[in-house]
Amino acid sequence: MLKSWKGRTLLILCAFLLLAGGAAVYVWQQRAPLAEQVIGRALAERGIAPVSFRVSFIGLRSITLSDIAIGPGSSPDLAADKVTVSYSLGELLSGNVQSISVGEARARVEVSGEGISLGALDPLLEGEGGGGPLRLPAIDVENVVVEVETPRGNVVLAGPATVRPDEAALAISSDGVQISEAGPQPRFAPLLAVGQVRLNETDIEVDADLSSVIEGSDDVSLLHVEGRYEAKAGKGTAQANGALSFSGDGVTPARLLPVLKRLYLDVAGDVDYAATVEIDGGNVRVLADATARGLSLQQTAAGSVSFSGDLRFSKTFGNAATPYRLELIGLKATDLARPERFAPVTLEGPAIMEGSLIEADLVVRSALPAIRGARLADIDARYDRAAGKGRVHANASIAFKPDKLELQTVLPVLKGVVTRMKGAATYSAEARLDDGNLATAGTVTLDNVGFVASAATVEGVNGTVQLSSLFPPRTKGVQVLSVRTLEAGVPLEDGKIAFELGRDGLKIVDASWPFADGKLVLVSSGQAVTASNAEFMLTVDNVDLATLLEIVDVPGLRATGHIGGRVPIAIRNGDPVLLDGAISAKDDGVIVYRGGAADAASTEQTKLLTDALQNFHYTELEGGLSGNANGNVTLRLNLRGANPDLYDGYPFAINVKLEGSLADILRRGTVGFRPLELIKEQSNSVAPPAADETEPGTEP
């Protein structure tokens, strides 16, 4: 009986072992389908669905899942070609695993005002669903492509990554994730991010370095960024800073931001920058500061210019949106053209863009040490990009000081052309753009302005000039200025200059001065006037000889009568050149010379000439003046008449040709060559009358 019981027990035990072994063999053979059921049920309990995958390998230490897709079948939120989970039996029984390695993966993330969404994977962030917490091990991803959808556009992140549990968060780090803007025409070049992102239920923390990936060149370091965003509270901050060095054959704005290619910006130099981003609800505020160091813009419409100084940018996006604002803080602009067109200046003030409208309110000051801070222009600008319309208005009042604040000081292109400026000028200029058509105008008011030019010295210029166009310069018809003093070989006072700047250039319409009880009138006779070359016609109108000799002040010399005529004048290389012309007496008159030269007459012919001039009644007086008014001139003078007290009024013909410095004569108010010299030089042409002659050099 006992043996029978023992036999039956042994038989039952063997049957159980056989059954258990068979079951184990069955389970081992069915381990993959069973594992798929267990994993699918575990994910479903945590709210992660729909899910599709297959177990391609399962062993005692690892399991490999293939063809994984979580989310809608046509567009899953997460897809991976292979995931391998490593574990030990004890860890597996306790719900833990050692590590997870992922091959190629794709994921989608949506960032909106409501927070962050991973689609079907949201329960992992929100802690929803049953089945207890899912404790993640270390995860290594060979390559992941993440499509991030944001209200400001979509970007794609691609590269290797590692995921590590960090307390209640996931720490995602990478040695190089490339960030690209989705779409056929990206606004920025691909970025390379190296750093870490921490995710928990609602928060994101970022600590990374960003570089720009430029084709055919080394990566360009852009900035280091640190930030934190609390999705539930809708608040976050981020700080970033960096520096760039631009060069034509290196880093350019267009390579960093392809959207700028159409602007053809040729930039060189350095810039440092820092930015802060603040997120509050639906509002995103951006503040940025930049410092330019020799940052030059080459070959622009305004030429090549270099900038140094500070700029500040601000903008708020969202419900409390503010315009784009760029503040210039003592930004120094230096002209790189040669010769230099303008001296260094500083620009201050804001430029604002709201929608299609751009507005600027700037102050331009001199940056030259001698006149630093002198206000040169107030600029008010407005441009509507959508309408293609805009305007720029500039105005200022400038007080000139010789050798300090002058036109040649702020506009070196005029150096040496206009010097020793004084007085004051007030100007207003405007440019309007309408559908590609540019119209300009301006007004300049001069108050007691004086200056020295190569051809003249000018004092007391007053008046207002209206310009119908600035580019090219055109006056609004004929303009008139008053000139207190003009000295260009002849000292002139209280004149009026009427001029016009038109299609053919500058023309002097009527420049007139009262002179010796008569008038001098200057008008253009050539095509146009420039600072170095021009042609004029000087008209001498009814000049009184008695008054003229009072101006010249030759001791012992007096005359009566009036003279007039025309003298061509040309400006050659800045100097006024007299081209002879013809000036003659309008009526008969008398010349009386009883100076020291008459007493010093040493020869008979000299004495005859001086005797004749002691009371010479002329019937003809004609002459001309030629030469450089700023140098030596030649005086040609022809006289016909008689002295009633000499030889019973016998007629004489006197021809005189003299050379001397007209400029010195008139500046000193005296004649540089004395009548004695005239008499000595010309005495051999004067002879006493013969009994059968009616006039020297004529037939009886």
Side-chain angles (χ1 to χ4, degrees):
M1 189 72 178
L2 184 59
K3 288 182 180 181
S4 175
W5 177 81
K6 289 181 179 180
R8 285 195 300 270
T9 300
L10 182 59
L11 183 61
I12 293 171
L13 181 59
C14 290
F16 177 77
L17 291 174
L18 184 61
L19 182 62
V25 170
Y26 175 79
V27 169
W28 182 257
Q29 290 177 342
Q30 299 297 317
R31 65 189 184 282
L34 292 174
E36 290 174 358
Q37 295 177 17
V38 171
I39 294 172
R41 187 165 52 249
L43 293 174
E45 289 175 353
R46 289 166 173 80
I48 300 175
V51 178
S52 66
F53 63 92
R54 63 183 180 86
V55 176
S56 57
F57 172 80
I58 185 171
L60 297 177
R61 293 186 176 275
S62 66
I63 182 174
T64 298
L65 309 181
S66 301
D67 304 327
I68 303 166
I70 300 176
S74 60
S75 180
D77 298 309
L78 175 66
D81 64 342
K82 181 177 66 174
V83 175
T84 299
V85 181
S86 300
Y87 50 79
S88 66
L89 186 58
E91 289 173 330
L92 191 61
L93 293 175
S94 64
N96 296 320
V97 296
Q98 290 179 349
S99 64
I100 299 175
S101 63
V102 181
E104 296 286 335
R106 298 187 66 89
R108 290 193 308 169
V109 177
E110 182 179 355
V111 179
S112 66
E114 299 178 355
I116 304 168
S117 174
L118 302 180
L121 295 173
D122 281 347
L124 291 178
L125 296 177
E126 299 168 357
E128 297 178 354
L134 180 63
R135 294 183 291 272
L136 290 178
I139 302 175
D140 294 297
V141 182
E142 181 180 330
N143 185 62
V144 62
V145 177
V146 181
E147 298 177 6
V148 182
E149 300 177 6
T150 75
R152 303 297 171 187
N154 299 342
V155 296
V156 178
L157 287 69
T162 61
V163 181
R164 298 287 186 270
D166 185 0
E167 297 179 351
L170 297 178
I172 305 172
S173 60
S174 175
D175 292 333
V177 171
Q178 184 166 299
I179 305 172
S180 305
E181 188 175 23
Q185 296 180 328
R187 293 166 293 180
F188 59 86
L191 303 174
L192 186 66
V194 178
Q196 177 177 275
V197 177
R198 295 181 74 253
L199 300 174
N200 60 22
E201 292 183 2
T202 59
D203 299 345
I204 302 176
E205 293 182 10
V206 178
D207 186 350
D209 292 302
L210 285 182
S211 301
S212 182
V213 180
I214 298 179
E215 186 177 354
S217 178
D218 295 335
D219 296 344
V220 178
S221 177
L222 296 179
L223 52 85
H224 176 77
V225 58
E226 297 180 10
R228 177 184 177 87
Y229 177 68
E230 300 175 8
K232 281 190 175 180
K235 294 183 177 182
T237 60
Q239 294 81 34
N241 58 79
L244 280 172
S245 293
F246 294 100
S247 65
D249 56 355
V251 179
T252 66
R255 290 182 177 178
L256 298 177
L257 301 171
V259 69
L260 300 179
K261 281 185 177 180
R262 60 187 180 88
L263 299 180
Y264 302 102
L265 294 176
D266 187 357
V267 179
D270 304 319
V271 60
D272 302 329
Y273 45 85
T276 299
V277 179
E278 299 175 353
I279 303 174
D280 188 357
N283 300 316
V284 179
R285 186 183 183 207
V286 180
L287 299 173
D289 292 300
T291 299
R293 291 179 283 111
L295 190 65
S296 62
L297 298 179
Q298 307 279 348
Q299 306 301 324
T300 68
S304 300
V305 183
S306 173
F307 294 95
S308 296
D310 297 327
L311 304 93
R312 178 165 296 162
F313 169 84
S314 62
K315 165 67 180 173
T316 298
F317 302 91
N319 299 329
T322 61
Y324 292 91
R325 182 183 178 92
L326 180 65
E327 186 85 20
L328 308 184
I329 307 171
L331 185 66
K332 181 179 178 181
T334 303
D335 185 24
L336 299 180
R338 292 297 178 267
E340 191 179 24
R341 298 162 301 170
F342 62 88
V345 296
T346 58
L347 307 175
E348 301 172 352
I352 298 172
M353 184 175 75
E354 185 171 16
S356 66
L357 188 63
I358 301 175
E359 295 180 300
D361 188 3
L362 306 177
V363 176
V364 182
R365 301 179 185 273
S366 175
L368 293 173
I371 55 172
R372 189 183 305 277
R375 200 176 189 119
L376 302 179
D378 293 332
I379 299 176
D380 174 25
R382 178 186 177 93
Y383 178 66
D384 190 329
R385 294 179 299 161
K389 296 182 178 181
R391 63 163 181 80
V392 177
H393 181 266
N395 65 276
S397 295
I398 301 175
F400 298 112
K401 293 182 180 180
D403 298 327
K404 278 199 170 182
L405 181 52
E406 304 184 47
L407 278 182
Q408 68 169 356
T409 306
V410 297
L411 301 174
V413 69
L414 298 178
K415 188 173 182 63
V417 177
V418 179
T419 65
R420 304 292 299 168
M421 286 198 70
K422 56 186 177 181
T426 300
Y427 74 88
S428 174
E430 186 170 78
R432 291 185 176 274
L433 182 66
D434 188 354
D435 196 23
N437 299 315
L438 179 66
T440 59
T443 301
V444 180
T445 299
L446 305 178
D447 182 11
N448 202 32
V449 170
F451 58 88
V452 176
S454 58
T457 298
V458 181
E459 298 283 350
V461 180
N462 293 278
T464 297
V465 177
Q466 293 183 324
L467 299 171
S468 59
S469 172
L470 303 178
F471 309 105
R474 300 280 191 271
T475 56
K476 193 175 182 180
V478 177
Q479 305 294 304
V480 179
L481 294 174
S482 64
V483 181
R484 186 176 68 248
T485 302
L486 171 66
E487 185 172 344
V490 177
L492 305 174
E493 296 181 351
D494 300 326
K496 297 284 186 181
I497 299 178
F499 65 94
E500 183 175 14
L501 189 58
R503 184 181 301 274
D504 295 328
L506 176 64
K507 282 189 173 294
I508 305 299
V509 177
D510 182 16
S512 61
W513 289 266
F515 183 69
D517 292 341
K519 185 167 65 172
L520 298 182
V521 178
L522 189 72
V523 298
S524 294
S525 60
Q527 290 297 314
V529 175
T530 66
S532 58
N533 292 282
E535 293 182 358
F536 304 97
M537 182 60 72
L538 175 65
T539 300
V540 180
D541 184 15
N542 203 34
V543 169
D544 183 70
L545 284 175
T547 306
L548 175 61
L549 290 176
E550 288 178 3
I551 297 173
V552 176
D553 189 22
V554 179
L557 180 61
R558 292 181 293 111
T560 63
H562 296 81
I563 60 173
R566 305 177 74 188
V567 178
I569 299 177
I571 304 297
R572 295 291 182 257
N573 298 319
D575 288 333
V577 178
L578 307 175
L579 303 178
D580 200 18
I583 298 177
S584 60
K586 301 302 180 182
D587 47 26
D588 296 346
V590 178
I591 297 176
V592 176
Y593 178 68
R594 295 174 181 173
D599 299 333
S602 59
T603 67
E604 182 179 349
Q605 291 210 2
T606 301
K607 188 177 185 308
L608 177 62
L609 181 57
T610 58
D611 288 344
L613 290 176
Q614 287 186 10
N615 186 23
F616 191 76
H617 292 238
Y618 65 84
T619 57
E620 294 183 23
L621 187 156
E622 184 271 334
L625 201 60
S626 60
N628 190 331
N630 287 336
N632 289 332
V633 296
T634 299
L635 172 64
R636 176 181 56 81
L637 182 62
N638 301 319
L639 291 171
R640 289 181 181 270
N643 183 340
D645 302 325
L646 183 64
Y647 297 111
D648 296 326
Y650 192 86
F652 282 83
I654 303 174
N655 301 315
V656 178
K657 184 178 182 182
L658 299 173
E659 292 185 357
S661 174
L662 178 63
D664 288 342
I665 297 168
L666 298 171
R667 287 192 187 103
R668 292 198 302 263
T670 60
V671 176
F673 36 76
R674 315 267 18 113
L676 176 60
E677 298 168 347
L678 179 152
I679 293 168
K680 288 181 179 179
E681 190 170 338
Q682 303 298 329
S683 59
N684 57 6
S685 67
V686 180
D692 59 349
E693 288 182 345
T694 59
E695 187 173 314
T698 63
E699 296 296 330

